[in-house]
Amino acid sequence: MFSISLFREGSWVIFFVFMGFMTFSLLRPLPVIVPNIPMHTVLDGDNTPVQMPLAVKGIVGWGSFLPMTHRPDLLYKGGGELGRKIFSMYIISWIYPDVLNDNAVWGTPYNLEALLAYDDDIVVINNVYFGGMAFGSDDLQRLGIHAIETSSKIENDDEYLKSNVRVMNTLVKQPQFTHTVLDRYFQGFLTLEHDLQPQKITDRPNVIGVGAPSNNWARLFVIRIDEVKQNQLALSSPTKQELASGRQQDPERILSIDPDIIMLLGTERRDFMSDPRWQGLKAVQTNKVYENSMKISGSRYDIDNLPIGARWMAEITHPEIMRPKLRETITKYYSDAYGYTLSDTQLDDILLIDKNKDASGYKRFMRQGGSCEAK
């Protein structure tokens, strides 16, 4: 009797709960699915078949799309104003200034409601982030949005890049361009291997990366050079076990490693060099501390600049073997790949000449005659 009475007394609540749900559902637009749109099968980064529009009219997500396809006409949305800010930090923003300045690409809301309203011939590549949460391609597909994962789950960088280039150029119906992009990428590393001949080098300098967000030395971090790059560039670096022992961010961790060369990540060289805690480091005493340029050492999908960034490090770590030709290499690459001519001022910016000009051996990266015009 008690349960029946309780149900009767609370039954009025059910009506208002139901009406609340109905009202909320009307506020969110439903996915617009265009019937009978021509579709075809595309293999994603892990070779899983996914149904995609036959004629893609726009791509959401610029990160690796432009360097891998050279199709600015098909970049539909780039990720809001934050995306534009990040895009402006890379060389490719000089090549495609119209993309950088296009408010339709960056200046519109980048949220789930906007994705649901896109036409059916728009494709989202890889993850999107809303409110700090990642929505993968599987999640978006369940919402009726055409999305595809272009990356392979294989950790090898070469395989990761190959899958991205293949999927993206398949989407935009230029599969032959896959070979053009990948051939240029692998040729960069083959030329570096020919010039350096790492297998013959026995004296391998010990190199680490050091950083502190906003130059807050209470938040120091240390990273090692991975095994692939160690072999590629004839370097040594602390083992994972050495870095894992103790608190990695402690200043004592860097002092105990005492590397030959330090690459600074998001950290001002002048601040690091003047800090009294680091004066005993071998790299500081020999002036072999270098500020890393994000323009050529950014991310694992920066297919244009991974070989260039590797050559930059090779010329720093093995100056007795590598002849100075990085400016020439960068200039030729962007001329061949994009038909774009970099100015001396842009090359100085790419190589952080003004910040690294006092570091050991950095004159090799300056303009002919060792000149440097600070921006």
Side-chain angles (χ1 to χ4, degrees), residues 327 344 348 353 363 365-374:
R327 291 180 79 99
D344 275 328
D348 289 347
I353 295 295
K363 285 185 178 179
F365 300 122
M366 294 183 184
R367 305 178 192 185
Q368 190 172 9
S371 63
C372 170
E373 181 181 303

Side-chain angles (χ1 to χ4, degrees), residues 68-81:
M68 294 182 179
T69 65
H70 298 196
R71 292 296 302 273
D73 57 305
L74 289 178
L75 180 61
Y76 185 66
K77 298 293 177 185
E81 287 300 331

Side-chain angles (χ1 to χ4, degrees), residues 134-168:
F135 285 72
S137 56
D138 290 343
D139 301 319
L140 297 176
Q141 288 167 13
R142 283 191 286 270
L143 293 172
I145 298 168
H146 289 310
I148 189 167
E149 178 61 56
T150 64
S151 305
S152 166
K153 293 184 177 67
I154 299 174
E155 286 302 314
N156 178 286
D157 280 355
D158 288 347
E159 295 303 316
Y160 176 90
L161 287 169
K162 284 195 287 187
S163 65
N164 272 275
V165 176
R166 172 184 60 78
V167 176
M168 291 185 193

Side-chain angles (χ1 to χ4, degrees), residues 200-226:
K200 296 182 180 180
I201 298 175
T202 55
D203 184 14
R204 298 188 165 206
N206 186 13
V207 183
I208 62 169
V210 176
S214 303
N215 293 328
N216 179 355
W217 300 114
R219 298 175 59 195
L220 283 170
F221 64 87
V222 183
I223 63 171
R224 62 192 295 272
I225 308 300
D226 64 64

Side-chain angles (χ1 to χ4, degrees), residues 203-208 224-225 230 234-239 242 256-262 282-283 288 317:
D203 184 14
R204 298 188 165 206
N206 186 13
V207 183
I208 62 169
R224 62 192 295 272
I225 308 300
Q230 286 184 48
L235 306 175
S236 66
S237 200
T239 64
E242 288 172 325
S256 65
I257 295 169
D258 196 19
D260 299 305
I261 298 171
I262 292 176
K282 186 190 310 178
K288 293 183 178 179
T317 54

Side-chain angles (χ1 to χ4, degrees), residues 161-221:
L161 287 169
K162 284 195 287 187
S163 65
N164 272 275
V165 176
R166 172 184 60 78
V167 176
M168 291 185 193
N169 282 290
T170 300
L171 282 174
V172 300
K173 302 181 77 173
Q174 54 180 38
Q176 72 285 351
F177 196 61
T178 299
H179 305 291
T180 302
V181 174
L182 290 176
D183 288 350
R184 195 178 287 128
Y185 167 77
F186 286 114
Q187 185 57 53
F189 281 110
L190 287 173
T191 302
L192 174 59
E193 182 180 15
H194 173 270
D195 294 347
L196 182 61
Q197 299 187 44
Q199 68 280 3
K200 296 182 180 180
I201 298 175
T202 55
D203 184 14
R204 298 188 165 206
N206 186 13
V207 183
I208 62 169
V210 176
S214 303
N215 293 328
N216 179 355
W217 300 114
R219 298 175 59 195
L220 283 170
F221 64 87

Side-chain angles (χ1 to χ4, degrees), residues 49-303:
V50 181
Q51 287 296 299
M52 287 282 108
L54 182 61
V56 174
K57 291 187 179 178
I59 295 291
V60 178
W62 74 268
S64 51
F65 176 70
L66 290 180
M68 294 182 179
T69 65
H70 298 196
R71 292 296 302 273
D73 57 305
L74 289 178
L75 180 61
Y76 185 66
K77 298 293 177 185
E81 287 300 331
L82 178 59
R84 185 185 339 227
K85 182 178 180 180
I86 296 172
F87 181 75
S88 70
M89 298 177 182
Y90 288 90
I91 298 172
I92 201 160
S93 68
W94 297 338
I95 298 169
Y96 299 127
D98 289 345
V99 171
L100 178 64
N101 297 319
D102 190 346
N103 290 330
V105 173
W106 312 102
T108 53
Y110 192 64
N111 51 41
L112 189 56
E113 283 77 12
L115 289 179
L116 290 168
Y118 291 161
D119 292 338
D120 211 38
D121 47 15
I122 305 298
V123 174
V124 180
I125 54 175
N126 303 321
N127 295 339
V128 292
Y129 295 86
F130 307 125
M133 295 180 60
F135 285 72
S137 56
D138 290 343
D139 301 319
L140 297 176
Q141 288 167 13
R142 283 191 286 270
L143 293 172
I145 298 168
H146 289 310
I148 189 167
E149 178 61 56
T150 64
S151 305
S152 166
K153 293 184 177 67
I154 299 174
E155 286 302 314
N156 178 286
D157 280 355
D158 288 347
E159 295 303 316
Y160 176 90
L161 287 169
K162 284 195 287 187
S163 65
N164 272 275
V165 176
R166 172 184 60 78
V167 176
M168 291 185 193
N169 282 290
T170 300
L171 282 174
V172 300
K173 302 181 77 173
Q174 54 180 38
Q176 72 285 351
F177 196 61
T178 299
H179 305 291
T180 302
V181 174
L182 290 176
D183 288 350
R184 195 178 287 128
Y185 167 77
F186 286 114
Q187 185 57 53
F189 281 110
L190 287 173
T191 302
L192 174 59
E193 182 180 15
H194 173 270
D195 294 347
L196 182 61
Q197 299 187 44
Q199 68 280 3
K200 296 182 180 180
I201 298 175
T202 55
D203 184 14
R204 298 188 165 206
N206 186 13
V207 183
I208 62 169
V210 176
S214 303
N215 293 328
N216 179 355
W217 300 114
R219 298 175 59 195
L220 283 170
F221 64 87
V222 183
I223 63 171
R224 62 192 295 272
I225 308 300
D226 64 64
E227 284 82 0
V228 172
K229 190 166 287 186
Q230 286 184 48
N231 293 329
Q232 195 177 67
L233 301 177
L235 306 175
S236 66
S237 200
T239 64
K240 292 180 180 179
Q241 291 72 24
E242 288 172 325
L243 286 185
S245 60
R247 288 182 59 199
Q248 182 175 321
Q249 68 270 29
D250 285 344
E252 289 77 10
R253 179 64 37 204
I254 300 173
L255 295 172
S256 65
I257 295 169
D258 196 19
D260 299 305
I261 298 171
I262 292 176
M263 300 296 181
L264 295 176
L265 309 169
T267 301
E268 293 282 341
R269 181 180 185 275
R270 61 184 177 184
D271 293 339
F272 189 91
M273 293 293 288
S274 63
D275 193 302
R277 287 173 290 182
W278 314 129
Q279 299 310 303
L281 286 172
K282 186 190 310 178
V284 172
Q285 293 177 351
T286 58
N287 203 23
K288 293 183 178 179
V289 177
Y290 306 89
E291 199 167 324
N292 205 47
S293 171
M294 192 177 73
K295 281 185 168 64
I296 55 173
S297 305
S299 62
R300 67 182 300 198
Y301 57 63
D302 190 0
I303 197 165

